[in-house]
């Protein structure tokens, strides 16, 4: 079997690293293709080093550009590699333009796509990421979803539960594996070592890069006004290149940089960043990955967005959405910092993203599918079928697996009277309402 991984940005490198590592331990061929969307050493190369994975086999160097241009160049480059390499499955991760390009190209070449971190939905169609992840899901064969919540998002859109695997998030694998290494090593980045973070109190780690925040002057100004008021904190801000550019263009960079309690530094490597966040009292971010890492590291997080595709973190009590509203940010930050009970409650929120074995579960599922011939995209003569969609209140003690076999059916949705439930094979359906397709 041959697995191709397409990645292009910092978070994809971090979240695919545990899978690349897991594949390399098994008797499986693999190639890694970097789109080159992120190209600064601090946004790309350093992560291959910190996460101890080999440099990619291909880099198609698309660089920065408009969405259309960037995605188009990626599609052309990815297609050339896939035609030559003929992998059995292409893995994409998350919601970037690399995911859109990789999933579209592979599926049009009739190569199976495995979408890692599938099923997330913010329902905010202004986000490029929401479009990317939805298109990737439509184009995929295997769905590696982090939680039951994201599994249900897919089921509600009509995807078959058979191809959905609840695996947790590989960010937990990366976090757990590298935090100890980071602790033993200490801060390596000079900007962090010279700030003497080890001996600093009240650390607040800040990251922001979402177009909908940093490209809109009013929103970014309001966030900066909130930072000015949080002067009891030592705010460490490893700045994303996009944000640095826009703050400079808006004429806001120097003002922010001049604040004594705000330390703007260049983006740091994964080990330094893990150490920094784990020593933080609070994280302020609009990053997707950081919302997940915060709850993994037991650090309260305020998310600088009005919606999130990670609602599990909010439901668990570890994350509060504060948007870019100055007063809401300051009020919530002060509550977390001054109310110990509240701080403890947020810090102790249960991590919904698993125990750090996601990469293993994902590669196990791929090997199983490959062994059963399920990675082959079906030809028209194999998908001719006719079925009727039905609804039923189940009265008997029967599992999903047994019901489907007995009735020659595929269960789509299961309701327990108040909420939807993911139809795992061993779920007992007694007293549930189900929607299913019955093969005629
Ligand atoms: C991209 C992803 C976003 C993800 C983020 C992770 C899309 C649509 N967006 O956003 O989902 O959360 O990566 O960080 O795929 N730049 C550099 N050096 C680099 C990379 C970028 O200077 O190595 C600058 C360029 O000016 C570029 C800008 O940052 O125009 C934005 O980069 P881009 O890759 O388009 O989007 P991100 O904001 O990084
Ligand atoms: N990160 C890092 N160094 C930094 C800032 C972030 O290693 O200076 C890591 C962070 O731990 C997380 C990932 O980058 O795993 C998040 O990337 P980003 O915020 O760019 O993208 P998103 O997750 O929003 O797609």
């Amino acid at each position: 079997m041959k697995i191709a991984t397409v990645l292009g940005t910092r978070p994809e490198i971090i979240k695919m690293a545990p899978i690349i590592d897991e594949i390399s331990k098994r008797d499986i061929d693999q190639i890694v293709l970097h789109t080159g969307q992120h190209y600064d050493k601090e946004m790309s190369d350093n992560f291959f080093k910190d996460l101890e994975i080999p440099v990619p086999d291909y880099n198609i160097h698309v660089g920065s550009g408009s969405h259309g241009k960037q995605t188009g160049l990626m599609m052309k480059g990815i297609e050339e590699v896939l035609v030559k390499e003929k992998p059995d499955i292409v893995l994409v991760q998350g919601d970037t333009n690399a995911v859109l390009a990789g999933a579209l190209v592979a599926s049009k070449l009739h190569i199976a796509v495995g979408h890692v971190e599938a099923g997330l939905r913010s329902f905010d169609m202004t986000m490029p990421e929401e479009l990317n992840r939805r298109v990737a899901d439509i184009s995929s064969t295997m769905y590696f979803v982090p939680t039951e919540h994201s599994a249900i998002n897919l089921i509600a859109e009509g995807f078959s539960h058979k191809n959905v695997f609840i695996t947790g998030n590989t960010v937990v694998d990366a976090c757990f594996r590298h935090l100890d290494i980071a602790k033993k090593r200490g801060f390596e980045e000079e900007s962090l070592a010279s700030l003497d973070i080890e001996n600093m109190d009240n650390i607040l780690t800040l990251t922001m890069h979402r177009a909908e925040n940093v490209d809109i002057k009013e929103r970014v100004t309001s966030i900066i006004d909130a930072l000015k008021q949080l002067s009891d904190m030592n705010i460490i801000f490893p700045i994303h290149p996009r944000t640095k550019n826009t703050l400079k263009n808006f004429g806001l960079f120097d003002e922010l940089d001049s604040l004594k309690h705000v330390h703007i530094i260049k983006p740091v490597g994964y080990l330094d960043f893990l150490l920094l966040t784990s020593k933080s009292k609070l994280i302020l971010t609009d990053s997707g990955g950081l919302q997940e890492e915060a709850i993994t590291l037991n650090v309260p997080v305020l998310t600088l967005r009005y919606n999130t595709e990670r609602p599990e973190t909010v439901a668990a009590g570890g994350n509060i959405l504060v948007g870019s509203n100055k007063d809401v940010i300051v009020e919530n930050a002060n509550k977390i910092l001054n109310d110990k009970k509240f701080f403890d409650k947020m810090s102790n929120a249960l991590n919904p993203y698993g125990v750090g074995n996601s990469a293993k579960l994902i590669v196990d599922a791929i090997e199983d599918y490959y062994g059963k011939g399920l990675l082959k995209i079906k030809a028209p003569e194999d998908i001719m079928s006719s079925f009727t969609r039905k609804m039923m209140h189940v009265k008997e003690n029967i599992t999903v697996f047994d019901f489907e076999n007995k009735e020659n059916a595929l269960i789509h949705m299961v309701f327990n009277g108040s909420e939807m439930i993911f139809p795992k094979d061993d779920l007992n359906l007694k007293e549930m309402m189900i929607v299913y397709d019955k093969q005629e």
Side-chain angles (χ1 to χ4, degrees), residues 193-413:
S194 60
L195 279 173
D196 197 14
I197 304 271
E198 300 279 5
N199 296 314
M200 239 186 209
D201 287 330
N202 289 342
I203 297 171
L204 185 160
T205 297
L206 165 71
T207 77
M208 57 172 169
H209 70 280
R210 291 273 149 223
E212 64 267 26
N213 274 334
V214 301
D215 293 1
I216 311 274
K217 191 170 182 188
E218 293 71 36
R219 291 199 190 142
V220 81
T221 305
S222 174
I223 294 170
I224 291 175
D225 286 344
L227 299 177
K228 285 182 190 160
Q229 294 199 17
L230 297 173
S231 54
D232 287 349
M233 299 305 292
N234 282 304
I235 300 178
I236 318 290
F237 182 19
I239 195 165
H240 189 288
R242 174 189 206 108
T243 313
K244 189 170 184 184
N245 291 343
T246 51
L247 288 185
K248 288 205 160 168
N249 290 341
F250 291 148
L252 294 168
F253 184 88
D254 291 340
E255 186 195 355
L256 182 61
D257 199 27
S258 69
L259 297 175
K260 267 213 166 74
H261 66 293
V262 176
H263 309 280
I264 304 181
I265 57 174
K266 58 183 190 215
V268 297
Y270 193 57
L271 297 181
D272 280 323
F273 194 72
L274 270 184
L275 209 48
L276 173 65
T277 44
S278 64
K279 287 183 185 300
S280 299
K281 268 218 163 120
L282 175 63
I283 292 172
L284 211 52
T285 193
D286 59 13
S287 158
L290 206 38
Q291 291 173 63
E292 297 154 350
E293 281 167 343
I295 203 162
T296 305
L297 296 168
N298 299 111
V299 181
V301 59
L302 295 180
T303 296
L304 300 164
R305 288 177 47 192
Y306 293 95
N307 52 60
T308 179
E309 55 291 308
R310 277 109 176 148
E312 301 92 333
T313 57
V314 178
N319 183 8
I320 301 174
L321 298 180
V322 290
S324 53
N325 183 302
K326 179 191 80 175
D327 295 333
V328 181
I329 297 170
V330 173
E331 189 191 319
N332 279 286
N334 282 333
K335 184 156 186 220
I336 293 167
L337 298 167
N338 299 322
D339 180 341
K340 178 153 180 349
K341 235 173 145 184
F342 191 64
F343 173 86
D344 288 343
K345 198 166 155 242
M346 282 192 82
S347 312
N348 293 324
L350 278 184
N351 181 4
Y353 295 116
V355 295
N357 62 351
S358 303
K360 182 182 175 308
L361 295 178
I362 289 168
V363 184
D364 281 351
I366 295 171
E367 286 206 295
D368 183 50
Y369 256 43
Y370 177 74
K372 291 177 178 155
L374 294 172
L375 292 182
K376 298 242 175 311
I377 305 295
K378 284 185 178 166
E381 53 269 42
D382 297 329
I383 50 179
M384 199 185 293
S385 73
S386 142
F387 61 83
T388 315
R389 189 154 286 185
K390 298 184 175 217
M391 200 169 193
M392 178 198 266
H393 182 180
V394 183
K395 299 281 188 206
E396 58 179 323
N397 252 318
I398 189 164
T399 63
V400 167
F401 184 83
D402 289 341
F403 181 92
E404 289 185 331
N405 279 336
K406 187 173 142 213
E407 298 289 334
N408 194 19
L410 175 73
I411 294 183
H412 269 298
M413 296 185 187

Side-chain angles (χ1 to χ4, degrees), residues 11 37-40 64 67 96-97 129 209 240-242 245:
Q37 178 172 350
H38 282 177
Y39 44 85
D40 288 347
S64 303
H67 285 275
T96 66
N97 287 343
E129 291 84 359
H209 70 280
H240 189 288
R242 174 189 206 108
N245 291 343

Side-chain angles (χ1 to χ4, degrees), residues 119-179:
L120 274 64
R121 297 288 182 267
S122 68
F123 303 99
D124 176 354
M125 298 308 286
T126 66
M127 289 179 78
E129 291 84 359
E130 184 71 2
L131 293 165
N132 291 344
R133 61 173 84 96
R134 283 175 186 252
V135 174
D137 282 339
I138 286 170
S139 316
S140 295
T141 304
M142 299 184 81
Y143 303 92
F144 304 111
V145 303
T147 64
E148 178 155 344
H149 184 98
S150 28
I152 286 173
N153 284 339
L154 291 179
I155 302 303
E157 288 173 23
F159 293 94
S160 161
H161 73 89
K162 298 261 184 222
N163 301 323
V164 176
F165 303 86
I166 302 175
T167 59
N169 196 309
T170 55
V171 81
V172 181
D173 304 29
C175 242
F176 286 171
R177 183 171 324 163
H178 295 281
L179 185 60

